[in-house]
């Protein structure tokens, strides 16, 4: 699928949104015709194969443009091992996987198994951001964030050690306990 011009996911001329599709032949060749000038993105994928996206492809009306041959490999897998195995509340960790180019758009979110691990399979090669979140619901919080690079065919193991402490206290209104929601924010300076 070819997306553009200038847009994240659409071809636009006179305001309409269009995506252009093509399929490769037996030799892996493809052709997109009748494109308007602009900067495009190309998404490649099929079947169980993970999709790959190439951004910043310039197209000028009336000219022919050829991309170099794209050699893809077998999908990668990433096993994330979180230590300790569970949060201080005995709840599994939640692990988020995002493309490094869009670190706050989760591709996949999983909870750790009993051994503190999650497996992300069928990944294209690339840079990813892995985040570990504690607990769940209202008490969830980002604890660790790391970038990882996987290559075609890798079955990479990525270890994240979460260093946590427990903070306790009481909230009173006068002398009476007050039911309240609390948010504890790390300022990033330390």
């Amino acid at each position: 699928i070819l997306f553009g011009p200038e847009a994240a996911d659409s071809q636009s001329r006179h305001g309409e949104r269009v995506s252009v599709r093509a399929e490769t032949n037996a030799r892996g060749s493809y052709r997109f015709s009748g494109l308007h000038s602009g900067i495009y993105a190309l998404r490649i994928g099929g079947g169980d194969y993970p999709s790959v996206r190439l951004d910043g492809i310039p197209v000028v009306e009336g000219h022919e443009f050829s991309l170099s041959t794209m050699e893809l490999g077998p999908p990668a897998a990433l096993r994330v091992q979180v230590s300790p195995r569970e949060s201080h509340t005995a709840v599994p960790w939640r692990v988020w996987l995002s493309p490094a180019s869009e670190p706050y758009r989760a591709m996949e979110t999983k909870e750790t198994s009993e051994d503190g691990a999650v497996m992300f399979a069928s990944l294209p090669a690339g840079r990813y951001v892995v985040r570990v979140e504690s607990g769940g619901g209202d008490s969830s919080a980002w604890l660790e964030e790391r970038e990882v690079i996987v290559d075609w065919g890798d079955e990479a193991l990525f270890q994240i050690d979460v260093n946590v402490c427990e903070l306790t206290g009481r909230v009173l209104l006068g002398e009476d306990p007050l039911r309240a929601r609390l948010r504890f924010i790390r300022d990033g300076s330390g």
Side-chain angles (χ1 to χ4, degrees):
I1 301 175
L2 187 66
F3 297 108
E6 315 284 347
D9 286 324
S10 67
Q11 177 181 344
S12 176
R13 185 159 180 127
H14 310 299
E16 76 274 9
R17 295 181 63 135
V18 178
S19 62
V20 184
R21 297 174 184 266
E23 291 189 17
T24 57
N25 63 20
R27 294 184 358 196
S29 299
Y30 59 91
R31 176 178 296 275
F32 291 101
S33 300
L35 300 173
H36 302 292
S37 294
I39 305 297
Y40 286 76
L42 176 64
R43 188 171 67 203
I44 305 161
D48 292 333
Y49 199 82
S51 74
V52 176
R53 184 174 165 139
L54 304 171
D55 291 308
I57 302 169
V59 172
V60 177
E61 270 182 73
H63 290 82
E64 189 169 312
F65 181 74
S66 181
L67 293 174
S68 60
T69 300
M70 292 172 277
E71 294 184 25
L72 307 178
L78 176 62
R79 178 182 165 94
V80 178
Q81 180 71 49
V82 182
S83 178
R85 292 185 189 152
E86 57 189 30
S87 68
H88 68 284
T89 58
V91 174
W93 301 106
R94 187 174 301 135
V95 181
W96 296 64
L97 183 69
S98 304
S101 60
E102 300 177 81
Y104 298 103
R105 181 183 65 84
M107 289 173 45
E108 258 187 279
T109 305
K110 295 184 176 187
E111 287 191 351
T112 54
S113 61
E114 288 181 9
D115 68 349
V118 295
M119 177 67 84
F120 296 101
S122 296
L123 300 173
R127 297 171 87 88
Y128 296 92
V129 172
V130 176
R131 284 192 181 81
V132 177
E133 180 182 72
S134 69
D138 293 337
S139 65
S140 64
W142 294 121
L143 295 175
E144 295 291 334
E145 175 180 307
R146 305 275 170 75
E147 189 170 298
V148 61
I149 299 171
V150 295
D151 203 358
W152 294 111
D154 275 358
E155 288 193 23
L157 173 63
F158 192 65
Q159 175 77 35
I160 295 182
D161 296 314
V162 178
N163 298 310
V164 295
C165 67
E166 187 172 350
L167 175 69
T168 62
R170 292 182 65 200
V171 178
L172 301 175
L173 180 60
E175 294 182 16
D176 298 322
L178 177 67
R179 290 190 52 84
R181 289 182 179 241
L182 300 152
R183 182 174 296 250
F184 193 64
I185 302 169
R186 181 170 63 185
D187 70 6
S189 63

